Amino acid sequence: MITPIGGTTDVISYHTLRLTSASRTEFMALIKLVFDINNIKASLEIAYKKPKLQRNVVIEEVFNSVYKVLCKSVRGDPFKAPNVDTIYGSPPYENTHIEQILTNFCIRFFGNNKNVLTFEEALMVTKIVLHFFNSWMWTIPDNKSYDQRLYSNTYSYYYRRYMVHCVIPRLSHSISPRYQATAIFGRDVLKYTLESFSKELQVWCYKSNIMWNEHTNLYCMTKMPIYMDLLKKEVYNRNSQIFTLDFDMTDIMRLYKSYQYP
Protein backbone atom coordinates (compact mmCIF):
# COMPACT_ATOMS: atom_id res chain seq x y z
CA MET A 1 0.00 0.00 0.00
CA ILE A 2 1.26 3.48 -0.83
CA THR A 3 1.00 6.32 1.64
CA PRO A 4 0.47 9.97 0.77
CA ILE A 5 3.80 11.80 0.55
CA GLY A 6 2.71 15.33 -0.16
CA GLY A 7 0.91 17.38 -2.75
CA THR A 8 -2.50 16.96 -4.36
CA THR A 9 -1.41 14.29 -6.85
CA ASP A 10 -0.01 12.01 -4.15
CA VAL A 11 -3.16 12.34 -2.03
CA ILE A 12 -5.46 11.62 -4.98
CA SER A 13 -3.37 8.59 -5.97
CA TYR A 14 -3.43 7.32 -2.41
CA HIS A 15 -7.21 7.58 -2.09
CA THR A 16 -7.81 6.18 -5.58
CA LEU A 17 -5.78 3.08 -4.78
CA ARG A 18 -7.57 2.63 -1.48
CA LEU A 19 -10.98 2.92 -3.14
CA THR A 20 -10.16 0.29 -5.75
CA SER A 21 -9.11 -2.17 -3.06
CA ALA A 22 -11.74 -1.26 -0.46
CA SER A 23 -14.06 -3.89 0.93
CA ARG A 24 -17.83 -3.46 0.73
CA THR A 25 -17.90 -2.57 4.44
CA GLU A 26 -15.25 0.12 3.99
CA PHE A 27 -16.97 1.51 0.92
CA MET A 28 -20.31 1.74 2.74
CA ALA A 29 -18.59 3.51 5.65
CA LEU A 30 -17.27 6.10 3.20
CA ILE A 31 -20.72 6.56 1.63
CA LYS A 32 -22.22 7.17 5.08
CA LEU A 33 -19.50 9.68 5.88
CA VAL A 34 -20.05 11.62 2.66
CA PHE A 35 -23.82 11.51 3.21
CA ASP A 36 -23.41 13.04 6.68
CA ILE A 37 -21.06 15.73 5.39
CA ASN A 38 -23.58 16.79 2.76
CA ASN A 39 -26.44 16.82 5.28
CA ILE A 40 -24.56 18.89 7.85
CA LYS A 41 -23.34 21.29 5.17
CA ALA A 42 -26.94 21.75 3.97
CA SER A 43 -28.10 22.37 7.55
CA LEU A 44 -25.41 25.00 8.04
CA GLU A 45 -26.30 26.74 4.79
CA ILE A 46 -29.94 26.92 5.86
CA ALA A 47 -28.93 28.28 9.27
CA TYR A 48 -26.69 30.95 7.76
CA LYS A 49 -29.58 32.23 5.61
CA LYS A 50 -31.85 32.84 8.59
CA PRO A 51 -32.33 36.38 9.91
CA LYS A 52 -29.80 37.22 12.60
CA LEU A 53 -32.40 37.16 15.38
CA GLN A 54 -33.44 33.61 14.46
CA ARG A 55 -29.94 32.16 14.36
CA ASN A 56 -28.43 30.30 17.30
CA VAL A 57 -24.67 30.67 17.60
CA VAL A 58 -24.25 27.64 19.86
CA ILE A 59 -25.97 25.22 17.48
CA GLU A 60 -24.13 26.63 14.46
CA GLU A 61 -20.83 26.27 16.30
CA VAL A 62 -21.53 22.63 17.14
CA PHE A 63 -22.56 21.67 13.60
CA ASN A 64 -19.60 23.53 12.13
CA SER A 65 -17.19 21.73 14.48
CA VAL A 66 -18.64 18.32 13.58
CA TYR A 67 -18.53 19.23 9.88
CA LYS A 68 -14.81 20.02 10.12
CA VAL A 69 -14.10 16.72 11.87
CA LEU A 70 -15.96 14.74 9.19
CA CYS A 71 -14.16 16.57 6.38
CA LYS A 72 -10.81 15.94 8.07
CA SER A 73 -11.71 12.27 8.40
CA VAL A 74 -12.43 12.00 4.66
CA ARG A 75 -9.11 13.62 3.78
CA GLY A 76 -7.13 11.57 6.28
CA ASP A 77 -8.60 8.07 6.54
CA PRO A 78 -12.03 7.86 4.84
CA PHE A 79 -12.64 4.30 6.05
CA LYS A 80 -12.12 5.11 9.72
CA ALA A 81 -14.95 6.38 11.92
CA PRO A 82 -14.58 10.12 12.63
CA ASN A 83 -13.50 10.97 16.16
CA VAL A 84 -15.79 13.70 17.52
CA ASP A 85 -14.06 13.45 20.90
CA THR A 86 -11.49 15.87 19.48
CA ILE A 87 -14.10 18.65 19.65
CA TYR A 88 -14.97 18.88 23.35
CA GLY A 89 -13.19 15.90 24.86
CA SER A 90 -14.52 12.51 25.88
CA PRO A 91 -17.56 11.77 28.07
CA PRO A 92 -18.53 11.66 30.88
CA TYR A 93 -18.67 15.36 31.76
CA GLU A 94 -19.76 15.07 35.38
CA ASN A 95 -18.53 12.66 38.02
CA THR A 96 -21.85 11.35 39.34
CA HIS A 97 -24.21 10.73 36.44
CA ILE A 98 -27.97 11.21 36.46
CA GLU A 99 -28.72 7.47 36.56
CA GLN A 100 -26.73 7.20 39.79
CA ILE A 101 -28.32 10.34 41.26
CA LEU A 102 -31.86 9.07 40.66
CA THR A 103 -30.97 5.68 42.09
CA ASN A 104 -29.52 7.42 45.15
CA PHE A 105 -32.79 9.34 45.39
CA CYS A 106 -34.78 6.09 45.38
CA ILE A 107 -32.65 4.50 48.06
CA ARG A 108 -32.58 7.63 50.19
CA PHE A 109 -36.31 8.32 50.15
CA PHE A 110 -38.06 5.05 49.37
CA GLY A 111 -35.69 2.33 50.57
CA ASN A 112 -37.38 1.94 53.94
CA ASN A 113 -40.40 4.19 53.50
CA LYS A 114 -43.54 2.72 51.94
CA ASN A 115 -45.87 5.53 52.98
CA VAL A 116 -45.50 7.44 49.70
CA LEU A 117 -44.12 4.95 47.16
CA THR A 118 -42.60 1.54 47.68
CA PHE A 119 -38.98 1.06 46.67
CA GLU A 120 -40.08 -1.11 43.75
CA GLU A 121 -42.56 1.53 42.58
CA ALA A 122 -39.91 4.25 42.83
CA LEU A 123 -37.48 2.16 40.77
CA MET A 124 -40.14 1.66 38.12
CA VAL A 125 -40.83 5.39 37.92
CA THR A 126 -37.09 6.04 37.78
CA LYS A 127 -36.78 3.75 34.78
CA ILE A 128 -39.61 5.59 33.01
CA VAL A 129 -38.11 9.00 33.81
CA LEU A 130 -34.66 7.97 32.56
CA HIS A 131 -36.16 6.57 29.38
CA PHE A 132 -37.95 9.80 28.55
CA PHE A 133 -35.08 12.04 29.60
CA ASN A 134 -32.83 10.24 27.12
CA SER A 135 -35.34 10.73 24.30
CA TRP A 136 -36.22 14.31 25.28
CA MET A 137 -34.64 17.23 23.40
CA TRP A 138 -33.06 19.75 25.72
CA THR A 139 -34.13 23.38 25.60
CA ILE A 140 -31.99 25.44 23.22
CA PRO A 141 -29.73 27.89 25.10
CA ASP A 142 -31.21 31.37 25.29
CA ASN A 143 -30.65 34.52 27.31
CA LYS A 144 -32.05 33.04 30.51
CA SER A 145 -29.77 33.92 33.40
CA TYR A 146 -28.56 31.49 36.05
CA ASP A 147 -26.64 32.03 39.26
CA GLN A 148 -23.37 30.56 37.99
CA ARG A 149 -22.06 30.27 41.54
CA LEU A 150 -24.33 27.23 41.85
CA TYR A 151 -22.91 25.46 38.79
CA SER A 152 -19.54 24.15 37.67
CA ASN A 153 -20.12 25.15 34.03
CA THR A 154 -22.63 27.08 31.93
CA TYR A 155 -25.69 25.51 30.35
CA SER A 156 -24.22 26.16 26.89
CA TYR A 157 -21.11 24.20 27.91
CA TYR A 158 -23.20 21.10 28.55
CA TYR A 159 -25.56 21.70 25.63
CA ARG A 160 -22.69 21.67 23.13
CA ARG A 161 -21.49 18.32 24.43
CA TYR A 162 -25.03 16.96 24.51
CA MET A 163 -25.45 17.83 20.83
CA VAL A 164 -22.14 16.23 19.82
CA HIS A 165 -22.50 12.99 21.78
CA CYS A 166 -26.26 12.44 22.10
CA VAL A 167 -28.14 14.26 19.33
CA ILE A 168 -26.00 14.42 16.19
CA PRO A 169 -25.01 10.70 16.36
CA ARG A 170 -28.74 9.92 16.46
CA LEU A 171 -29.21 11.80 13.18
CA SER A 172 -26.05 10.66 11.41
CA HIS A 173 -24.76 7.40 9.94
CA SER A 174 -21.01 7.69 10.44
CA ILE A 175 -20.67 8.92 14.04
CA SER A 176 -20.64 6.45 16.89
CA PRO A 177 -21.18 5.73 19.67
CA ARG A 178 -24.29 7.65 20.70
CA TYR A 179 -24.38 8.21 24.43
CA GLN A 180 -27.36 8.39 26.74
CA ALA A 181 -27.50 11.81 28.38
CA THR A 182 -28.23 10.26 31.77
CA ALA A 183 -24.95 8.33 31.60
CA ILE A 184 -22.60 11.23 30.85
CA PHE A 185 -24.18 14.22 32.62
CA GLY A 186 -25.02 14.75 36.26
CA ARG A 187 -25.90 17.30 38.92
CA ASP A 188 -25.47 20.49 36.90
CA VAL A 189 -27.51 19.26 33.95
CA LEU A 190 -30.24 17.94 36.22
CA LYS A 191 -30.52 21.34 37.89
CA TYR A 192 -30.51 23.15 34.55
CA THR A 193 -33.10 20.95 32.86
CA LEU A 194 -35.40 19.44 35.49
CA GLU A 195 -38.04 22.19 35.46
CA SER A 196 -38.43 22.18 31.66
CA PHE A 197 -38.25 18.41 31.44
CA SER A 198 -40.82 17.94 34.19
CA LYS A 199 -43.32 20.26 32.50
CA GLU A 200 -42.94 18.60 29.10
CA LEU A 201 -43.15 15.14 30.65
CA GLN A 202 -46.40 16.08 32.36
CA VAL A 203 -47.87 17.44 29.12
CA TRP A 204 -46.83 14.29 27.27
CA CYS A 205 -48.46 12.08 29.93
CA TYR A 206 -51.77 13.92 29.71
CA LYS A 207 -51.78 13.72 25.92
CA SER A 208 -50.81 10.04 25.79
CA ASN A 209 -52.67 8.45 28.69
CA ILE A 210 -55.72 7.62 26.56
CA MET A 211 -53.60 5.03 24.72
CA TRP A 212 -52.17 3.37 27.84
CA ASN A 213 -53.27 0.34 29.76
CA GLU A 214 -54.30 0.58 33.40
CA HIS A 215 -50.84 -0.35 34.69
CA THR A 216 -49.04 2.38 32.73
CA ASN A 217 -51.69 4.93 33.66
CA LEU A 218 -51.21 4.12 37.32
CA TYR A 219 -47.49 4.82 37.21
CA CYS A 220 -47.43 7.79 34.85
CA MET A 221 -50.52 9.64 36.06
CA THR A 222 -50.50 8.83 39.78
CA LYS A 223 -47.08 7.77 41.02
CA MET A 224 -44.85 9.81 38.72
CA PRO A 225 -46.19 13.25 39.83
CA ILE A 226 -45.47 12.32 43.46
CA TYR A 227 -41.98 11.16 42.52
CA MET A 228 -41.20 14.27 40.43
CA ASP A 229 -42.36 16.71 43.11
CA LEU A 230 -40.09 15.09 45.68
CA LEU A 231 -37.22 14.89 43.20
CA LYS A 232 -37.40 18.60 42.34
CA LYS A 233 -37.30 19.57 46.00
CA GLU A 234 -34.23 17.42 46.49
CA VAL A 235 -32.37 18.44 43.32
CA TYR A 236 -32.61 22.13 44.21
CA ASN A 237 -31.63 21.50 47.82
CA ARG A 238 -27.99 22.62 48.10
CA ASN A 239 -27.36 20.19 50.95
CA SER A 240 -28.96 17.15 49.34
CA GLN A 241 -27.17 13.86 49.89
CA ILE A 242 -28.39 12.30 46.63
CA PHE A 243 -25.40 13.82 44.82
CA THR A 244 -22.81 12.42 47.21
CA LEU A 245 -24.15 9.07 48.44
CA ASP A 246 -22.05 6.08 47.46
CA PHE A 247 -24.15 2.94 47.66
CA ASP A 248 -23.14 -0.55 46.62
CA MET A 249 -24.95 -0.69 43.27
CA THR A 250 -24.73 -4.42 42.53
CA ASP A 251 -27.96 -5.56 44.16
CA ILE A 252 -29.76 -2.31 43.42
CA MET A 253 -29.06 -2.47 39.69
CA ARG A 254 -30.06 -6.13 39.54
CA LEU A 255 -33.43 -5.19 41.02
CA TYR A 256 -33.66 -2.06 38.87
CA LYS A 257 -33.13 -3.96 35.61
CA SER A 258 -35.59 -6.67 36.56
CA TYR A 259 -38.53 -4.35 35.96
CA GLN A 260 -40.00 -4.04 32.49
CA TYR A 261 -40.97 -0.71 30.97
CA PRO A 262 -44.79 -0.56 31.31
Side-chain angles (χ1 to χ4, degrees):
M1 177 182 292
I2 65 171
T3 56
I5 300 171
T8 304
T9 303
D10 291 327
V11 173
I12 292 175
S13 299
Y14 169 68
H15 285 307
T16 300
L17 181 60
R18 291 207 64 187
L19 281 173
T20 57
S21 60
S23 66
R24 178 177 176 82
T25 300
E26 289 177 322
F27 189 74
M28 289 306 299
L30 175 59
I31 294 297
K32 292 177 181 179
L33 185 56
V34 172
F35 182 83
D36 288 339
I37 289 174
N38 288 334
N39 276 349
I40 292 177
K41 182 181 179 181
S43 297
L44 284 169
E45 289 174 348
I46 292 172
Y48 294 151
K49 292 178 181 178
K50 290 182 179 180
K52 188 174 182 179
L53 292 177
Q54 295 181 19
R55 293 174 60 178
N56 187 284
V57 176
V58 173
I59 293 179
E60 289 180 14
E61 176 194 301
V62 170
F63 274 89
N64 191 48
S65 297
V66 173
Y67 177 73
K68 289 179 179 178
V69 168
L70 298 188
C71 289
K72 183 178 180 180
S73 183
V74 165
R75 291 191 297 267
D77 189 346
F79 303 123
K80 185 178 180 181
N83 181 15
V84 294
D85 286 2
T86 58
I87 301 175
Y88 299 122
S90 304
Y93 295 108
E94 296 190 74
N95 291 330
T96 306
H97 54 66
I98 293 173
E99 291 178 9
Q100 176 70 61
I101 292 170
L102 264 59
T103 304
N104 289 344
F105 172 68
C106 285
I107 299 170
R108 175 80 171 80
F109 285 89
F110 308 108
N112 297 309
N113 181 9
K114 297 183 179 180
N115 294 329
V116 181
L117 296 176
T118 66
F119 185 50
E120 291 79 8
E121 289 171 341
L123 284 174
M124 174 64 87
V125 175
T126 297
K127 189 170 185 178
I128 297 171
V129 170
L130 291 173
H131 171 81
F132 284 108
F133 190 92
N134 285 322
S135 59
W136 174 65
M137 289 293 293
W138 295 11
T139 304
I140 297 173
D142 53 24
N143 295 323
K144 183 178 180 180
S145 61
Y146 298 94
D147 185 351
Q148 291 304 145
R149 294 172 299 177
L150 305 178
Y151 301 89
S152 299
N153 291 290
T154 65
Y155 179 63
S156 293
Y157 170 92
Y158 294 113
Y159 187 85
R160 289 182 175 94
R161 287 150 181 79
Y162 160 71
M163 288 292 294
V164 168
H165 293 289
C166 303
V167 177
I168 293 180
R170 188 188 306 171
L171 306 174
S172 70
H173 298 79
S174 61
I175 301 174
S176 63
R178 175 171 71 89
Y179 292 89
Q180 300 283 21
T182 56
I184 63 174
F185 298 105
R187 180 177 187 167
D188 272 3
V189 165
L190 201 54
K191 288 164 63 180
Y192 276 128
T193 62
L194 189 57
E195 280 293 342
S196 297
F197 170 70
S198 179
K199 290 177 182 177
E200 293 190 31
L201 179 61
Q202 185 178 36
V203 170
W204 181 86
C205 286
Y206 278 111
K207 287 183 177 180
S208 305
N209 75 88
I210 193 172
M211 300 180 291
W212 292 337
N213 58 35
E214 184 178 348
H215 180 69
T216 306
N217 256 308
L218 175 65
Y219 274 93
C220 292
M221 301 301 293
T222 304
K223 301 183 186 299
M224 188 184 294
I226 297 172
Y227 178 99
M228 293 301 290
D229 284 344
L230 291 171
L231 178 63
K232 281 189 283 187
K233 291 178 182 177
E234 200 61 21
V235 165
Y236 296 113
N237 175 6
R238 295 188 187 185
N239 300 315
S240 175
Q241 296 181 1
I242 66 173
F243 303 112
T244 57
L245 291 173
D246 186 21
F247 289 102
D248 180 358
M249 295 301 298
T250 305
D251 294 332
I252 300 302
M253 290 308 296
R254 187 182 301 118
L255 177 62
Y256 172 83
K257 291 178 180 179
S258 69
Y259 288 91
Q260 297 295 317
Y261 178 72

